[in-house]
Amino acid sequence: MYYAAVKKTDIANGPGVRVSLFVSGCTHRCSGCFNSEAWDFNYGREYTEETEQEILRALAPDYIRGLSVLGGEPMEPENRGAVLQLLRAVRRQFPDKDIWCYTGFDYEKDLLRRSGHSEDLHKRPAEDEIMQILSMTDVLVDGEFVKERKNLRLAFRGSENQRLIDVQASLRQNETVCLTEF
């Protein structure tokens, strides 16, 4: 996996001061995307063990609320393995920090269906990465950016079709629970 940037004090992509990883590679190619250079899967630098350690060190201070993973597209098959490995390390080292993930995929139609959530998860073990990522994600911002629905007044998202999903509540209740407090 390649990545476009690591922001160590980001206040735009989730509440509080956060560390944000912008992965490279996206097949959505939304018109008006703020990060179109990261559509290329080879854009930026190669994600390595040193990159992961840099992110973990940046998460250590008490004033850092959590990690945001965006892109590009973290849920692209090419990116899922490294994203999953990072989320496992964050959960292990910083269980009280929250994790936000931004995706152009639709939670119900794309992620749950692809993961086999509505089927037997063991039938499609490669797709189980999606459910593992979701199991460690607190908030998922889903949906492609739609230029015609752009709204600068929205917190933590760019267009009105995008949702802030409480992933853990959604998985527990087996229905999508959207956050409204932002």
Side-chain angles (χ1 to χ4, degrees):
M1 177 177 87
Y2 280 75
Y3 69 100
V6 173
K7 292 188 178 183
K8 296 179 181 174
T9 53
D10 186 2
I11 59 169
N13 295 299
V17 181
R18 317 183 63 73
V19 175
S20 292
L21 170 65
F22 292 79
V23 304
S24 293
C26 183
T27 57
H28 300 294
R29 301 182 179 270
C30 303
S31 176
C33 175
F34 81 99
N35 199 15
S36 59
E37 61 274 357
W39 292 349
D40 180 348
F41 283 90
N42 296 309
Y43 178 77
R45 291 175 260 174
E46 187 173 358
Y47 185 88
T48 64
E49 177 64 31
E50 290 77 29
T51 311
E52 183 173 297
Q53 291 307 312
E54 174 187 357
I55 292 168
L56 294 172
R57 283 191 301 275
L59 283 164
D62 289 341
Y63 65 86
I64 299 293
R65 180 161 172 179
L67 173 71
S68 293
V69 183
L70 53 166
E73 174 57 71
M75 295 293 190
E76 292 284 3
E78 296 87 342
N79 295 333
R80 284 187 227 144
V83 168
L84 179 56
Q85 179 179 313
L86 173 61
L87 298 191
R88 284 179 179 148
V90 171
R91 282 289 176 232
R92 220 176 9 258
Q93 251 182 275
F94 305 107
D96 296 330
K97 306 238 182 208
D98 65 7
I99 296 174
W100 282 47
C101 185
Y102 286 73
T103 181
F105 291 109
D106 179 274
Y107 176 69
E108 300 89 353
K109 292 181 209 161
D110 298 320
L111 299 181
L112 292 183
R113 183 174 294 150
R114 279 188 182 191
S115 69
H117 188 65
S118 59
E119 307 166 13
D120 180 2
L121 284 177
H122 302 292
K123 289 181 183 174
R124 295 164 44 180
E127 299 298 338
D128 187 43
E129 285 178 332
I130 292 171
M131 285 310 293
Q132 290 179 53
I133 290 169
L134 291 174
S135 76
M136 290 181 270
T137 300
D138 296 294
V139 176
L140 183 77
V141 182
D142 83 329
E144 292 186 4
F145 172 75
V146 177
K147 188 163 69 170
E148 297 75 26
R149 298 189 68 192
K150 181 177 180 177
N151 184 339
L152 297 176
R153 292 184 211 150
L154 296 171
F156 310 126
R157 57 199 189 274
S159 62
E160 294 170 348
N161 62 297
Q162 295 173 314
R163 303 175 296 172
L164 301 173
I165 299 172
D166 180 331
V167 179
Q168 298 313 303
S170 297
L171 291 173
R172 276 192 310 275
Q173 297 175 29
N174 203 27
E175 65 180 352
T176 305
V177 177
C178 292
L179 298 173
T180 57
E181 73 230 29
F182 295 108

